[in-house]
Amino acid sequence: MKTIRIRNFIILFFLLLLLLPWIFLVAAHLIGTKTVSFQLNDTQQRNLSETVHLIETNTENWTNQDWQHQFQSRLKSMNMDVKILSATDQEIFRSNSKDTHTLKKTEQFTIIQDGKVLGKVFIYLPNSRDIQIIAAFTGLLLAFFIIAYEMRKHILKPLEKMSLAARQIAKGDLDVQLPNSRITEIADVRDGFKIMVGGLNESFRKQVALEEERRFVISAVAHDLRTPLFALRGYLDGLEQGIAHSPEKVAKYIEVCKEKSAQLDRLVEDLFTFTKMEYLKMGIEKNGIDLVDVIQKSIDSLYPIANEKHISFNIDFSPEDCIILGDVHLLERVMTNLLDNAVRHTPRHSKIFVKCYKENNKATFTIHDTGRGFDLQDLHRVFEPLYRSEKSRNRSTGGVGLGLTISRRIIKLHGGDLAVDNHSNGGGLVTGWLPLAKIN
């Protein structure tokens, strides 16, 4: 729908206010006189001249009854009225006894002969302008009516509806009907309201989603904290009550307590990192680093755990440097999370295949374990916070459920992405990429 600015709208109103009465006036004059000229036509001019001549040449007959009757008949045929007064303003002749002269156009002159004033003559011509004036006034009223109607339709009613919509929004009702208007400024305000309502709807939707996620996080964290805490308390109670009689049993209890405390430490660390990234929008310090070195450091840190299960790493790194811009500590955390998952899900006496290579303007890496892989129904949910495919949330088979979530968000903060799938030869496959640094 095309719109018009309010100043142009007002200019059109003023033109209508000026033109419509004038159009009605000219139309009424044209209908009454068959001409657009506002001067006396030829017939009226001729009748006026003849009447003046009759009056001037018959000064001695002004009081003659026969002449007056003839003169009055002639005036009637010409649709004119005449009044003749003496030099002392005494009425000598009047063609019409009724005082309708206020509706006539008057021609007035004085008759003088031999330097003596004989009388005054008033000639009343048909005045068609009374109809013209009425027509012009009608046009003016019509112009006011049109202006009032259009202003109400395109300005006042939309503003009233906009005001009502604002009150509804203030009460929390976002299901509002925003009015259309052909005025540009009002249409702009409507579009602004529409964007605001859309933003508020999106904010409410996010608020609901965050509230649901908050409740889920609280319940999940409570579950994950409770399990190692109960185990830790049980073993500590056993040590306190002397259940562990031999040094070997004491050592075993202490080892279990250390393992549970390490689980709690990892859980708290994961939760802290997740919260920091999710709500504080933590910034990252980007420096030029070689992605191959980052992956190698993470592999080196996991060698002791892998050796316990007799798992070896099959490494295939690009001979070229894969220089990227990033935070080395965060990226090491990503690689450690991903490789730790691979070690935990790879059976004993197996291999983990790690690759890193350049691909166009990206540094791509893959981690392929030889475990059972991902369940198909879980592939689209593995990056959800605290999601784990094990319904029992058994901590011996997996972590808290934040490792992949944190890893992907760190990768995205660096401008890359992370994906998971099942390898064609079996096992899980994690693929990620990061943009290469531009070297001048």
Side-chain angles (χ1 to χ4, degrees), residues 259 263 309 340-341 343-346 372 388-400:
E259 180 186 349
Q263 288 180 0
K309 297 179 66 175
D340 181 61
N341 281 342
V343 170
R344 283 190 287 106
H345 290 92
T346 298
R372 60 186 296 268
R388 298 180 64 240
S389 61
E390 295 88 354
K391 303 306 177 193
S392 64
R393 302 183 62 85
N394 185 353
R395 301 197 59 82
S396 65
T397 61
V400 67

Side-chain angles (χ1 to χ4, degrees), residues 4-19:
I4 182 173
R5 292 198 171 274
I6 193 167
R7 61 172 179 267
N8 298 333
F9 202 61
I10 293 174
I11 289 172
L12 290 177
F13 283 165
F14 276 117
L15 289 176
L16 181 66
L17 197 62
L18 293 173
L19 290 177

Side-chain angles (χ1 to χ4, degrees), residues 244-255:
H245 300 291
S246 62
E248 293 80 9
K249 203 166 187 180
V250 170
K252 181 178 180 181
Y253 274 37
I254 292 175
E255 183 181 354

Side-chain angles (χ1 to χ4, degrees), residues 1 5 15-16 18 31 36 61 84 109-110 182 235 276 298 342 354-355 363 379 395 407-408 429 431:
M1 181 177 66
R5 292 198 171 274
L15 289 176
L16 181 66
L18 293 173
I31 293 171
V36 294
N61 295 323
I84 302 175
F109 58 93
T110 303
R182 299 198 62 180
Y235 280 99
K276 191 176 180 183
S298 297
V354 183
K355 294 178 65 176
L379 279 175
R395 301 197 59 82
S407 298
R408 191 183 195 193
L429 176 66
T431 304

Side-chain angles (χ1 to χ4, degrees), residues 64-203:
N64 187 291
Q65 294 290 328
D66 293 335
W67 181 84
Q68 288 182 358
H69 286 302
Q70 292 177 1
F71 187 50
Q72 187 165 1
S73 298
R74 185 178 181 85
L75 290 173
K76 188 175 181 180
S77 64
M78 293 187 293
N79 194 22
M80 297 171 61
D81 284 326
V82 172
K83 181 173 70 173
I84 302 175
L85 301 179
S86 65
T88 59
D89 291 335
Q90 297 294 319
E91 186 177 286
I92 299 174
F93 172 79
R94 179 194 291 269
S95 61
N96 193 338
S97 59
K98 296 181 180 180
D99 188 12
T100 58
H101 300 156
T102 56
L103 301 177
K104 302 288 184 176
K105 180 179 178 181
T106 304
E107 295 286 340
Q108 180 180 344
F109 58 93
T110 303
I111 305 297
I112 301 175
Q113 286 185 357
D114 301 328
K116 183 180 178 181
V117 176
L118 298 181
K120 299 177 182 178
V121 178
F122 298 87
I123 300 177
Y124 301 98
L125 301 174
N127 186 7
S128 60
R129 292 191 179 178
D130 53 347
I131 299 176
Q132 296 169 12
I133 292 173
I134 293 172
F137 185 71
T138 303
L140 183 64
L141 290 178
L142 182 60
F144 275 120
F145 175 79
I146 294 173
I147 291 171
Y149 175 78
E150 292 296 322
M151 286 191 68
R152 175 165 177 77
K153 178 180 178 182
H154 296 294
I155 298 178
L156 298 181
K157 289 186 73 175
L159 288 177
E160 289 174 1
K161 292 181 179 179
M162 209 80 74
S163 176
L164 179 61
R167 291 188 180 92
Q168 286 182 259
I169 293 172
K171 293 178 181 178
D173 181 9
L174 300 182
D175 188 18
V176 294
Q177 295 294 326
L178 296 173
N180 292 318
S181 177
R182 299 198 62 180
I183 304 300
T184 303
E185 289 79 0
I186 297 178
D188 290 343
V189 173
R190 176 190 181 276
D191 293 341
F193 264 85
K194 190 174 181 180
I195 294 172
M196 180 184 70
V197 170
L200 288 173
N201 272 318
E202 182 65 18
S203 297

Side-chain angles (χ1 to χ4, degrees), residues 26 71 89 109 115 123 207 239 305 326 329 339 378 430:
V26 172
F71 187 50
D89 291 335
F109 58 93
I123 300 177
Q207 183 178 358
L239 288 172
I305 301 175
H329 299 294
L339 290 167
D378 297 325
V430 178

